[in-house]
Amino acid sequence: MTPSEKTTTMAHASRVPWLTLRRKEALEAWLFVSPTLIGFVIFFLGPLIAVGLYSLTEWNLLSQESTFVGVANFRDALTVNPDFWHVVRNSALFALGLVPMNMALALMLAIALSRPFFGVVFFRTIFFAPVITSAVAWAIVWKFLLQGEAGAVNQLLASIGIDGPNWLREPNWAMFAVIVTRVIKMVGLNMILYIAALQAIPRDYEQAAQLEGASRWQVFHMVIWPLLAPTTLIIMVITTIGSFKVFDHIYLMTGGGPENGTLVLAYYIYQQGFEFFNIGYASALAIIMFVIVLALTIVQLILRQKGSG
Amino acid sequence: MFKTRLTAAALLGASFLVSPAVAQELRFTVWTGNDAHLNMLNSIGDSFKATHPDVTVTFETIPAGDYIQKLTFQLAGGTPPDLGWMFENSMPTFVKAGVLEELTSTLAATEGYDLDDFSKPAMALWSTDGAVYGVPFSTSPFMMFFNKDMFDAAGLEDPLTLADKGEWDMAKFREVSAALAAANEGKWGFEFKDGQGYDSRIMHAIMPPIRVYGGNAFDNGECGFEKPEAIAAVTQLHEMIFKDGSIVPPGEQGDFFSGSSAMTINQISRASKMPGAGFNWGIAPLPTGPAGASPVIGQAGLVVFAKSKNPELAKEFIAHMTNADNVAVMAQFFPPARKSVLNSDAFTNANALIPAAQMENVKAAIANGQVLPSHEKTPQIEAAMKPRFDALWKADANVEEALKAVCAAIQPQL
């Protein structure tokens, strides 16, 4: 390169602005996502990393004594502590009971309430109202209704000759009661999601199937249900995650009892962390719960992909 | 010019030297939000200015249900209060964690304080090996509240009359409870404290009978639930619930204060609910048992936190707040542990809702009462106990086996 060529190249380089169109677009993109990104780092990623670090310690919140124990908390939970597998079993039971019941009921309500008819808004409001009702008020009312002999539910059952159980004092019935009352409280949310999905399906598909002679069941089974699959997957994932994270409902309805029959993982984490002040152990349990929920979500996604394939 | 600047600097420096003491604040956490309580506490805070004119005491309310958690987070999070109220069952945990200041020397050095004026049983929970870590401000005995109208309607002598005659024992308690339940369909003879005897107040429900039978929950690292005295006491309760149908059973609500039960055990602070109850009522001592009388007291105390910015000042405020004059002021709401105040006419007449004759029973219970068993691992013990007691409170449960299971569950924590 001759000196004159070198000078020309340098002059050209100095004329190129730093803020190229590509850089400008990238900067704009970062600026647009930065509010969310900052919030994500501060309120999610930071605490998640902190919980990961805490889980490797034996840390008493009250005395502030902290010792690094490696994976001892995980080992204790998974191989020593009999309560851990009991609460995992309870969480799984809760999810297995709640998710199908919630989704089936939500779909039925959505089908009934997706088409316009006189009073449809009223009924949608009625079924959605429990979602925005205070969890405390909900629990107080249901505890009152589910009393032993004097409860309204058992009085109603007695009027048709059924001797109802002491709902919240017998472990199996208590689990059933907290699942059902939770379903009634939260079903409105999934109902709204299903209504939105149903309304997004063009009526042409349904009418075309009917013209071909499909029955109502065939229309639902062969046309509607496959088109609802993406929504169903989303609902299944968020309902499963929500059911593993359930805390307030259990805390208020049964306190984990009777006989630890409704002691679920989220409540057990709360107990270890905020009643016994074992923050290290509670953090390890939280990490395990995170892994369980993540694994369930991945399994659901894989099943969905296989189904669609 | 230089001279002028030097003079100004000297004057400024001198002004710092002669300026009044810097104002100080003491943060004091409490779990009451009651205006009357807070007004009284603020008046005691104001009276501290007589000796400490630059000190302001600020009372901060944390609801009772969240108190220990929020307090712990404040202590751990670098925003500790200077001093606060403390629950009796949390005290051993806080002492063991080393987060409380020792108060002994400050109380001993305070002129006219007289620590010996506090009854020894009342101080037991707040002292460890002679070192005082807290001072009880409320020493409230468990009393038997009764619905006099229900007793009269059933033609029964009420617990106060029976106690005066020396006939108020566990056998009589069972007898009248059954008679009252039989006479009032859909109602019960007795309700555990605040209707929570099967859940959050298990110890409140079972300890009064166990004590009068001569037993205890645990002592010196040994579980007492499986001993014959405790088994006998809990068996009586179990039979009253499931055979006699005289105690509100698990899963039912039978609120005493709305007239659904004829008796309940509670503390005299609950007398404030009685004017709206709509029936005649009274309070009596707890029934005696094979081991005689054994009153139970519930306490709350004052402590200084080790992370306080002004620990010495906070200790001085506790000495001020629990001197004889201020304990007398607080006695209108909180029964005192100071003998001089307890034995005064002022305390006898302090509660307008409770007649003086019945207050004498309250005073006797405070003087002779014992606190509920406490342990540094109380939360873990209660969590371990709860499912085993759930199994006990069933009609077909074997009481002895269930209590052995309770002991097996809590022994590792003791």
Side-chain angles (χ1 to χ4, degrees):
Chain A
M1 190 180 283
T2 64
S4 62
E5 282 173 336
K6 195 183 273 179
T7 310
T8 310
T9 310
M10 283 174 70
H12 178 71
S14 64
R15 279 203 305 275
V16 175
W18 177 84
L19 196 61
T20 59
L21 182 63
R22 188 184 175 82
R23 278 182 176 156
K24 193 179 173 188
E25 283 178 352
L27 190 64
E28 279 175 359
W30 280 107
L31 280 173
F32 273 114
V33 298
S34 62
T36 305
L37 192 66
I38 291 167
F40 175 79
V41 170
I42 294 175
F43 298 111
F44 181 76
L45 198 59
L48 192 65
I49 292 168
V51 167
L53 295 174
Y54 296 160
S55 70
L56 305 175
T57 64
E58 187 181 320
W59 175 24
N60 184 299
L61 187 68
L62 186 60
S63 66
Q64 289 290 293
E65 288 168 0
S66 177
T67 317
F68 181 79
V69 294
V71 295
N73 289 330
F74 293 94
R75 195 166 48 232
D76 181 85
L78 296 169
T79 63
V80 180
N81 182 356
D83 289 342
F84 173 76
W85 288 109
H86 178 75
V87 299
V88 169
R89 174 188 155 276
N90 282 348
S91 287
L93 272 178
F94 185 82
L96 282 172
L98 182 134
V99 176
M101 201 187 294
N102 187 324
M103 292 181 66
L105 190 59
L107 183 59
M108 280 193 285
L109 288 171
I111 290 168
L113 301 175
S114 61
R115 302 281 164 79
F117 63 88
F118 181 74
V120 69
V121 176
F122 171 77
F123 285 111
R124 283 180 194 165
T125 308
I126 289 290
F127 288 113
F128 190 74
V131 177
I132 53 167
T133 303
S134 150
V136 178
W138 188 259
I140 289 172
V141 168
W142 276 106
K143 278 175 86 166
F144 190 72
L145 296 174
L146 292 170
Q147 287 182 77
E149 288 178 19
V153 172
N154 278 350
Q155 299 261 336
L156 198 66
L157 290 173
S159 68
I160 53 170
I162 298 173
D163 188 16
N166 198 343
W167 296 97
L168 299 177
R169 296 299 307 183
E170 294 175 27
N172 292 336
W173 285 114
M175 179 57 92
F176 179 73
V178 294
I179 289 171
V180 171
T181 51
R182 182 71 173 179
V183 167
I184 299 170
K185 180 153 188 357
M186 300 307 292
V187 72
L189 196 61
N190 288 345
M191 176 194 75
I192 293 293
L193 293 174
Y194 266 132
I195 287 175
L198 284 167
Q199 288 178 341
I201 297 172
R203 294 294 302 274
D204 303 357
Y205 297 175
E206 202 177 321
Q207 286 163 352
Q210 281 168 343
L211 282 173
E212 296 290 336
S215 65
R216 292 185 71 172
W217 166 247
Q218 283 172 320
V219 170
F220 174 77
H221 180 61
M222 309 296 284
V223 178
I224 307 290
W225 179 244
L227 291 170
L228 284 178
T231 308
T232 301
L233 177 70
I234 292 293
I235 288 177
M236 193 189 288
V237 169
I238 60 173
T239 310
T240 306
I241 292 172
S243 67
F244 267 86
K245 282 166 56 182
V246 69
F247 167 75
D248 55 348
H249 190 65
I250 300 291
Y251 179 80
L252 295 163
M253 289 285 291
T254 60
E259 299 176 57
N260 286 346
T262 60
L263 185 62
V264 293
L265 194 48
Y267 188 84
Y268 190 59
I269 292 170
Y270 166 83
Q271 202 174 47
Q272 289 291 333
F274 302 116
E275 289 182 6
F276 305 162
F277 303 125
N278 295 330
I279 293 293
Y281 198 71
S283 299
L285 294 173
I287 294 284
I288 294 172
M289 187 167 95
F290 177 74
V291 171
I292 291 172
V293 173
L294 187 68
L296 284 173
T297 307
I298 291 170
V299 166
Q300 286 172 352
L301 284 168
I302 291 170
L303 287 175
R304 164 69 190 138
Q305 279 175 346
K306 278 188 177 172
S308 62
Chain B
M1 185 64 183
F2 174 74
K3 222 177 209 176
T4 313
R5 281 184 184 168
L6 191 67
T7 311
L11 283 172
L12 188 66
S15 74
F16 278 116
L17 289 175
V18 298
S19 66
V22 179
Q24 289 177 298
E25 186 184 54
L26 288 176
R27 273 185 62 217
F28 192 132
T29 51
V30 297
W31 55 75
T32 180
N34 181 300
D35 285 341
H37 292 176
L38 291 173
N39 287 339
M40 179 194 71
L41 293 171
N42 282 321
S43 73
I44 293 173
D46 290 343
S47 68
F48 193 52
K49 283 183 181 290
T51 51
H52 298 76
D54 304 306
V55 178
T56 304
V57 185
T58 310
F59 294 92
E60 291 181 12
T61 300
I62 302 174
D66 301 330
Y67 189 79
I68 293 300
Q69 282 166 27
K70 289 192 173 169
L71 186 61
T72 303
F73 276 100
Q74 288 190 13
L75 294 175
T79 54
D82 297 290
L83 66 170
W85 285 4
M86 181 57 62
F87 293 113
E88 58 181 343
N89 59 354
S90 300
M91 187 64 187
T93 311
F94 275 67
V95 171
K96 172 75 176 174
V99 295
L100 300 181
E101 283 282 318
E102 192 189 331
L103 309 174
T104 323
S105 56
T106 305
L107 299 180
T110 303
E111 196 181 332
Y113 188 78
D114 190 13
L115 190 55
D116 291 336
D117 192 26
F118 287 86
S119 68
K120 275 207 170 136
M123 285 301 291
L125 189 63
W126 309 91
S127 312
T128 304
D129 301 328
V132 178
Y133 288 93
V135 182
F137 71 90
S138 177
T139 301
S140 187
F142 288 35
M143 305 298 293
M144 184 68 76
F145 281 64
F146 61 89
N147 182 326
K148 179 124 178 50
D149 291 348
M150 284 174 80
F151 273 86
D152 291 347
L156 297 166
E157 286 182 306
D158 66 55
L160 200 57
T161 310
L162 291 165
D164 288 342
K165 290 164 69 177
E167 295 175 8
W168 183 229
D169 58 16
M170 287 297 287
K172 197 73 179 175
F173 167 60
R174 180 172 181 173
E175 184 189 319
V176 298
S177 295
L180 287 158
N184 296 278
E185 198 181 335
K187 296 184 178 183
W188 287 275
F190 178 77
E191 183 201 24
F192 288 129
K193 190 172 189 291
D194 295 327
Q196 295 168 351
Y198 306 108
D199 299 307
S200 57
R201 295 190 185 274
I202 292 173
M203 295 296 260
H204 292 158
I206 60 172
M207 284 315 296
I210 287 176
R211 286 261 174 83
V212 295
Y213 267 88
N216 206 352
F218 45 80
D219 206 6
N220 293 322
E222 191 185 2
C223 179
F225 286 124
E226 57 192 355
K227 295 194 172 171
E229 297 85 0
I231 292 170
V234 177
T235 300
Q236 173 170 341
L237 292 178
H238 195 270
E239 290 178 352
M240 289 175 72
I241 298 165
F242 297 106
K243 279 190 183 166
D244 303 352
S246 60
I247 296 182
V248 182
E252 304 287 355
Q253 295 180 15
D255 183 35
F256 167 81
F257 299 99
S258 57
S260 297
S261 296
M263 291 181 283
T264 192
I265 287 178
N266 222 314
Q267 289 161 293
I268 62 168
S269 58
R270 294 297 191 284
S272 61
K273 295 177 80 171
M274 297 314 300
F279 54 81
N280 292 307
W281 59 282
I283 58 172
L286 300 184
T288 59
S294 184
V296 177
I297 49 176
Q299 286 193 304
L302 308 173
V303 296
V304 172
F305 300 108
K307 288 190 173 178
S308 162
K309 293 186 185 92
N310 293 302
E312 293 309 318
L313 195 58
K315 289 182 203 174
E316 285 174 32
F317 184 69
I318 285 198
H320 171 74
M321 194 168 180
T322 55
N323 67 25
D325 290 343
N326 284 327
V327 168
V329 170
M330 289 194 286
Q332 60 183 303
F333 299 117
F334 308 121
R338 266 190 184 275
K339 288 178 277 187
S340 59
V341 180
L342 187 61
N343 295 325
S344 68
D345 288 342
F347 176 61
T348 309
N349 301 314
N351 196 319
L353 296 168
I354 303 174
Q358 293 180 32
M359 280 299 280
E360 290 300 330
N361 290 327
V362 174
K363 289 163 76 167
I366 294 173
N368 305 313
Q370 282 184 290
V371 292
L372 290 167
S374 247
H375 193 280
E376 67 201 44
K377 289 191 172 175
T378 295
Q380 286 90 334
I381 291 170
E382 288 181 351
M385 261 172 35
K386 173 76 173 46
R388 278 76 192 184
F389 270 101
D390 287 340
L392 165 70
W393 299 128
K394 288 179 173 175
D396 57 354
N398 180 320
V399 173
E400 188 172 347
E401 291 303 316
L403 289 174
K404 281 181 179 169
V406 172
C407 277
I410 69 170
Q411 192 61 54
Q413 306 293 345
L414 298 176

